[in-house]
Amino acid sequence: MNLASGGYTISFKEGGLEVQKDGRLLYFNRRPMFVTVKTAFAVSEFYDGAYAEIAVSGDKIIAKGTLTVPSGSEFSFTDTYERAGSGFKVSRSVKVLKAGDDLGFSTKISFAMAESDDTHDYNCFAPGVWYKQNEFAPDYAMGKDLDCEYFYRMETCYALPLFAMQNIASGETAALSRWAADVTMPSVDIVRSENNVDPNMTAGAIGMSRPESRTLNYMYYGFAVRKPFEAKIDGLSIDYVYPGCDGQMPRRNQYAGLDYNKKSKTFQRVNHPVEAGFEQHYAVAVNFSHYGSFQRMMTDNWRIAYDRLRDGLFDVDNERHFHNCMKMLAQYTRQYGDSYGLPFACQLPDMDISCVSFQFGFVGQQPGIGYQLLRYGDKENVPEALEKGVNVIDFWVRTAMTESGLPHMCYNPNIEGFEPYPHYVRMLADGIEAILDAALYMRKKGDERPAWLEFCRRTADWLVDIQNDDGSFYRAYNTDNSIRMNSKSNTPSVIRFLVQFYLATGDERYKTAAVKAGEWSFENNYRNLEYRGGTCDNMDIQDKEAGIYALFGFLALYDLTGEDKWLEGAIGAADYTETWTYAWKFPVRTLWPKHPFNNYSISGQSIITIGGGADVYMAACSYTYYRLYLITGDEHYLDFAEFIHKNTRQSNDVDGSVGYIMPGLGHESGNFTSQTLQSRYHWLPWCTYVEIDPSSRLYDTFGGYEIADAQRLSPEERARRNRIYDSYA
């Protein structure tokens, strides 16, 4: 009995299955019925078995069997295999027929790797959690240590519930993903522990495993322990575990006082109860394919899952939301002594100001907000907003420049001076681009601001002078130009500014510097997938914002030169960056009566750094993905642009119904992988800035606040307007 799809055939024989391509064995499972039981001793024991019955039913294959464990517990399996899309669907039902002396259980759908059982022979992809061999991940991340036995994360940790393994030598790839976005709430009165039971847990875990032969792993208060066990081990496999688990993870904090000098690991399991009549029902998509590159594998598998699982579009009026945000920014921008700006942080729901400090970019985005205020005030005839915007820009131009040409980054009005903060190249890019935008906007009004342009020129000259011979820049510098952080991965951050300052001045030095930075970024960020260190308050680890700024930089070079190389880089960065976005949804509870997630879903939020919490920063990219659609004609970019232009708003009080002090407010970030939101429950200026910036760009380029507005223009008119540098300066 066989099922075939896309050149891959699943064959069933002797109670097991094999996956072949052109007669070559690639994957197999000789004992597909797998159960982990939590015994009366609260340890995990593993049992598996072959199907007892395999039958054809129409275009499906139904496999059944009963697995009995030594305690007497009996589990009935019914697995249905069918072709689905470009791959297969496996639907599983498990029923507890008899309860022995066991406390809990989980089951697993699994495919063993026939080509190699060495984890180092594979590149893996789990959206927002694992890229290639996670060489740019922190030490505590899954996959950083490839010599572990288990590599599992709860699927709620993934931007899409997807895990893929690509054999580096052959390119053959296996991917598992949850079939439907139908996760429900776990029990809220249960605290998750090392090995607990929750009858309401419906989230699974996806990853890979390679247990050591003839050993059994179990947990004692979170530590991995082994004891001899007669287990049948097939080697390395890709797995879907239900309900889910997390492990193995390096312990971040050791217990003080323990005489233990080895690296310890943690493993957390969730079980369903071993109660007669209890049933599991779940389904996964299985995709086998071949790719010549990790980039193509990542993009295709992401899109396959995205097309099936993407949440519906959030109903939001983006024009109304834009105006609400601008009114809020205008209200909270004020004079502090001789300085102008917005508070650094305010607690929700009533904007209780908790800190007043100004950052040039990143989470503060002070010049960016200044530009948006002056633009808004001018276009909407709001003199107060225009005046405040001008005052913000004037403040930075007047006070932030240093003798070297490298502006200060962080001003504290309480000390009436700048804090000794690192000069991050990424933060520099945010602020200096905004000052240039403001200067050119005023110039077009006939209001020349030579001091603003001079500020930009000094910064551009500093960049030209400090640039490394290979075209790169370091992550951060000190005020005296010495190197503060020597990673080069943030090089793309300043490309767009250099391109645009070249357009404003005609000075070829800036174009040359931009192209040199682009060359380094193409070889390292794009080709090596070295998108890391984009968030200034995190380590130099893989993240989303490094991808965002690479996308901005490559697209700016393409807009300038029209060279296909830069479009290739932009597409690569775009395909990588979107995989950090929660495109699916699952229920999340909050601990506050006034919070948008009480009303809306988490889709549109995006993972910040690898395996970390999530925020709204993908909102910054909706205009850029739309422009990329117009350039490439790739309908997926249109869909994704509209998705992040709408669904990112779900962390905001978009219409006043949530009860925040002003409509438009949103929270900064949080972690909801446990399905209970953990958050500081506060607002920072960047949260609003990254939503208004693409909206203002969309309006200025295409004449509307919705992507649907731009789509109403003729294709010829959209293409003409999309050449944004034709009339830039």
Side-chain angles (χ1 to χ4, degrees), residues 222-224 249-254 260 262-266:
F223 286 92
M249 303 297 181
R251 237 181 223 289
R252 296 200 206 187
N253 297 305
Q254 299 290 340
Y260 190 79
K262 294 185 178 181
K263 293 181 179 179
S264 58
K265 307 285 185 184
T266 64

Side-chain angles (χ1 to χ4, degrees), residues 252-364:
R252 296 200 206 187
N253 297 305
Q254 299 290 340
Y255 286 106
L258 288 184
D259 183 14
Y260 190 79
N261 58 9
K262 294 185 178 181
K263 293 181 179 179
S264 58
K265 307 285 185 184
T266 64
F267 203 124
Q268 288 187 315
R269 289 188 181 274
V270 182
N271 303 271
H272 283 152
V274 181
E275 297 174 352
F278 186 90
E279 296 184 33
Q280 290 183 345
H281 300 281
Y282 60 100
V284 298
V286 184
N287 291 92
F288 303 114
S289 47
H290 176 272
Y291 299 99
S293 71
F294 178 86
Q295 179 93 24
R296 190 72 257 162
M297 182 275 282
M298 173 189 69
T299 301
D300 281 4
N301 280 285
W302 166 264
R303 291 188 178 192
I304 289 169
Y306 177 94
D307 290 343
R308 189 178 71 252
L309 296 168
R310 194 266 268 170
D311 191 17
L313 294 180
F314 181 54
D315 184 14
V316 60
D317 183 336
N318 269 307
E319 181 173 3
R320 178 184 180 187
H321 182 57
F322 175 82
H323 286 282
N324 283 337
C325 288
M326 291 308 306
K327 290 174 184 176
M328 185 268 296
L329 292 176
Q331 176 165 326
Y332 284 94
T333 301
R334 52 158 288 184
Q335 186 172 3
Y336 291 91
D338 292 333
S339 62
Y340 271 86
L342 296 89
F344 181 84
C346 300
Q347 294 302 127
L348 297 169
D350 297 323
M351 291 292 275
D352 179 10
I353 298 174
S354 55
C355 178
V356 177
S357 178
F358 308 146
Q359 276 194 359
F360 197 57
F362 190 46
V363 298

Side-chain angles (χ1 to χ4, degrees), residues 19-215:
V19 180
Q20 296 185 350
K21 176 184 178 184
D22 300 327
R24 181 163 57 100
L25 178 65
L26 293 175
Y27 314 101
F28 63 93
N29 193 332
R30 299 186 180 95
R31 298 170 301 280
M33 299 187 302
F34 185 101
V35 63
T36 300
V37 292
K38 178 183 178 182
T39 72
F41 293 86
V43 297
S44 295
E45 294 183 352
F46 314 139
Y47 302 95
D48 56 18
Y51 294 127
E53 175 187 342
I54 301 174
V56 176
S57 177
D59 58 356
K60 302 176 182 178
I61 293 178
I62 300 177
K64 298 180 179 181
T66 299
L67 192 61
T68 303
V69 303
S71 68
S73 298
E74 293 183 5
F75 304 90
S76 172
F77 285 74
T78 301
D79 293 347
T80 302
Y81 296 79
E82 59 187 301
R83 284 181 291 269
S86 59
F88 305 91
K89 178 184 179 183
V90 182
S91 305
R92 168 166 283 180
S93 295
V94 181
K95 184 174 183 178
V96 180
L97 300 179
K98 181 180 178 182
D101 191 23
D102 295 307
L103 302 176
F105 79 102
S106 63
T107 59
K108 180 175 75 172
I109 293 174
S110 183
F111 294 86
M113 304 286 124
E115 290 187 295
S116 171
D117 64 359
D118 186 348
T119 55
H120 298 81
D121 289 340
Y122 293 86
N123 282 330
C124 297
F125 169 52
V129 175
W130 192 330
Y131 295 86
K132 296 177 75 174
Q133 295 193 339
N134 254 6
E135 54 264 50
F136 303 125
D139 290 341
Y140 54 80
M142 178 178 75
K144 184 70 170 183
D145 179 1
L146 288 172
D147 294 322
C148 291
E149 294 180 87
Y150 297 93
F151 305 85
Y152 294 149
R153 290 304 306 271
M154 295 290 290
E155 58 191 334
T156 51
C157 297
Y158 298 161
L160 278 175
L162 160 69
F163 190 89
M165 295 175 63
Q166 180 186 35
N167 185 282
I168 298 170
S170 71
E172 290 294 340
T173 301
L176 294 180
S177 57
R178 187 184 182 97
W179 180 257
D182 53 1
V183 171
T184 57
M185 277 297 294
S187 300
V188 298
D189 57 345
I190 295 174
V191 176
R192 189 177 171 197
S193 63
E194 289 74 28
N195 200 8
N196 67 288
V197 176
D198 183 353
N200 296 316
M201 174 64 75
T202 59
I206 326 178
M208 67 179 183
S209 65
R210 189 185 181 281
E212 291 187 8
S213 180
R214 300 176 64 81
T215 65

Side-chain angles (χ1 to χ4, degrees), residues 595-612:
H595 196 285
F597 289 169
N598 295 333
N599 304 332
Y600 314 132
S601 91
I602 52 88
S603 70
Q605 305 300 295
S606 49
I607 298 169
I608 304 166
T609 61
I610 202 151

